[in-house]
Amino acid sequence: MTEFLPYVVSWNLTRKCNLRCKHCYIDASAAGPRELSTDEVCRGLVEIADVHRETILILTGGEPLLHADLDLIVSRAAALGMMVVLGTNGTTLTSERAARLADRGLSGVGISVDSSAAPRHDEFRGVPGAWSAAWRGVEAARRAGLEVQIQMTLTPATLGELSEVARMAREAGARVLTVFFLVCTGRGQSLVDLTPEQYESALRSLARAPLDGIMVRPRCAPTFRRVLAQDSPDSELLHSDAGRCMAGKNYCRITPEGDVTPCPYMPVTAESLRERSFGEIWRSSPILAALRQPALKGRCSICEYREICGGCRARAFASGGDMLGEDPGCAYVPGTDRRAAPFIPAPLSWTPEAEERIKNVPFFVRSAVRSAIESLARRRRLACVTPELLDEARRTMKRP
């Protein structure tokens, strides 16, 4: 039986924000009256660690840097063994603040840059000067020794800017560019989304032409995996979590008020931390259970790529109110591809020593390194990843 563990938990600490972003899924502006107290947050951290101590905890908002007790929350989570990262607009991140958070145990930051042009980013984020301030935040994080990831929300207006944003991110010292494909929820309901054909074109560009010097990963786009299977069936990315929807399976979100949802873009509440512990919710919520063994509907239910793709559940919910419905962003017509969907072998086992060593790889690139190592193991016809194989992979990939 598959064990579902919360590898990643995204926690919206507050609705308070200094920007007015057009696409904000929680319509952030000011702190709400029912937000969890710091004591309640710290109790929730212990409950998460009781389920999976090595969870990657993403602290976001609103703007998490505006939370009065962010330093304390970072310290508590890091002390529990979690890898703590910050999802921020970066505009208020100074060198001093970044250094202090690093001392508290923060591992990295994801900073949003949605355009290569300052005016377009500022208009999207609702505040003049946001673009320049975000890049200053990137530099502050780098000076503090934090791993930096740039996050870009792709829109019809910025489809042609992906390569330029990737170049700027690479030159700023970022290791990863995460490309979010918009789900029109919250304040974003009024935005114009990409057409299915634009999604398809963008994903094929990512699959066919990886950008040199920086790892580019799509989010909210499990269709990427179907595109990979069609265009690059031998790609190691098919053995990683690239593009995979982990909502409810290995990922969930906690709202500022303590509601647990499958993901930030799916406002379907499993239960509240004020009513039950995180462990009870994670293990027994019918909503999360439905996503772990999904009875998909529409085109997704009959698609030959459903096992490796499965469609975006948040986009299905946003468009039709059914999280198990078909993904309206997908242009593929099931049964029209004569190529068979690739067989994805079961995950390899790892020795405890190998698992400990892979933790030394920066978390932003860890899944890609893991998939490359497992690909090497399969070529060697091995059933288990060992420290000796890691040594060989290190020599092969020339990684430190």
Side-chain angles (χ1 to χ4, degrees):
M1 180 182 237
T2 302
E3 182 181 15
F4 296 96
L5 293 173
Y7 295 148
V8 183
V9 174
S10 179
W11 198 322
N12 297 113
L13 286 179
T14 180
R15 293 181 184 272
K16 188 176 182 180
C17 191
N18 59 321
L19 302 185
R20 185 73 182 171
C21 304
K22 287 186 174 182
H23 66 309
C24 183
Y25 56 83
I26 67 169
D27 197 11
S29 58
R34 296 189 61 254
E35 291 184 2
L36 297 176
S37 68
T38 299
D39 285 345
E40 288 176 310
V41 171
C42 290
R43 183 172 68 244
L45 295 176
V46 173
E47 293 171 356
I48 294 170
D50 285 344
V51 178
H52 187 57
R53 190 163 293 275
E54 296 176 2
T55 291
I56 296 175
L57 179 70
I58 304 171
L59 298 175
T60 184
E63 175 47 56
L65 287 166
L66 300 182
H67 192 286
D69 291 323
L70 177 63
D71 290 25
L72 172 62
I73 292 168
V74 169
S75 295
R76 293 286 176 85
L80 288 166
M82 298 182 197
M83 181 169 290
V84 190
V85 299
L86 209 62
T88 171
N89 60 47
T91 60
T92 63
L93 185 62
T94 64
S95 295
E96 295 75 19
R97 189 77 195 276
R100 190 165 71 246
L101 287 167
D103 287 343
R104 299 293 191 279
L106 189 71
S107 295
V109 295
I111 295 178
S112 298
V113 177
D114 296 303
S115 174
S116 58
R120 186 173 289 120
H121 174 93
D122 291 355
E123 194 269 338
F124 191 62
R125 293 280 163 177
V127 174
W131 188 86
S132 297
W135 286 115
R136 287 195 296 272
V138 171
E139 178 59 26
R142 292 288 296 150
R143 273 198 228 98
L146 296 168
E147 292 289 334
V148 177
Q149 169 179 292
I150 299 299
Q151 301 174 159
M152 177 187 187
T153 297
L154 206 60
T155 68
T158 58
L159 271 173
E161 298 185 40
L162 183 57
S163 294
E164 182 63 10
V165 173
R167 181 192 66 78
M168 297 171 77
R170 181 180 65 246
E171 291 181 356
R175 301 284 292 271
V176 177
L177 172 64
T178 297
V179 182
F180 285 91
F181 285 77
L182 182 67
V183 178
C184 295
T185 62
R187 201 180 295 150
Q189 291 180 57
S190 62
L191 293 180
V192 176
D193 199 359
L194 300 178
T195 66
E197 293 73 25
Q198 287 173 322
Y199 272 114
E200 190 83 0
S201 177
L203 291 172
R204 289 199 182 279
S205 295
L206 288 176
R208 291 171 176 170
L211 300 166
D212 292 337
I214 190 168
M215 188 177 300
V216 181
R217 289 290 179 266
R219 286 289 181 265
C220 303
T223 306
F224 179 66
R225 300 179 64 76
R226 187 259 303 163
V227 169
L228 271 178
Q230 291 175 315
D231 286 6
S232 308
D234 296 325
S235 173
E236 294 176 353
L237 290 176
L238 282 169
H239 302 287
S240 74
D241 65 355
R244 188 185 300 279
C245 178
M246 300 192 298
K249 301 173 183 176
N250 303 115
Y251 174 67
C252 70
R253 182 272 296 254
I254 302 172
T255 72
E257 297 77 26
D259 293 335
V260 178
T261 75
C263 86
Y265 309 101
M266 201 186 307
V268 183
T269 300
E271 276 187 89
S272 171
L273 292 181
R274 283 177 165 148
E275 297 169 359
R276 301 184 74 191
S277 73
F278 179 85
E280 291 173 315
I281 296 170
W282 181 259
R283 295 185 181 103
S284 64
S285 165
I287 288 173
L288 301 183
L291 291 167
R292 292 166 186 171
Q293 301 293 334
L296 300 177
K297 302 174 185 177
R299 287 179 298 143
C300 289
S301 70
I302 59 172
C303 183
E304 62 269 38
Y305 292 98
R306 63 186 176 274
E307 295 300 325
I308 61 170
C309 169
C312 177
R313 300 299 95 221
R315 194 166 285 113
F317 184 83
S319 66
D322 185 350
M323 66 181 186
L324 299 178
E326 68 178 47
D327 182 348
C330 180
Y332 179 66
V333 178
T336 60
D337 190 344
R338 294 182 179 179
R339 294 165 291 191
F343 169 71
I344 304 299
L348 295 165
S349 63
W350 286 58
T351 66
E353 296 83 0
E355 285 285 6
E356 283 301 313
R357 282 181 54 177
I358 195 70
K359 292 175 186 176
N360 295 323
V361 176
F363 73 94
F364 285 147
V365 297
R366 190 177 301 160
S367 64
V369 173
R370 179 184 283 269
S371 67
I373 292 168
E374 292 186 348
S375 178
L376 177 62
R378 291 187 179 98
R379 292 197 298 271
R380 298 286 186 272
R381 299 184 181 277
L382 302 174
C384 182
V385 176
T386 64
E388 290 74 23
L389 186 68
L390 295 187
D391 291 336
E392 180 181 350
R394 181 178 177 180
R395 293 191 295 271
T396 302
M397 295 187 287
K398 297 182 180 179
R399 291 187 179 273

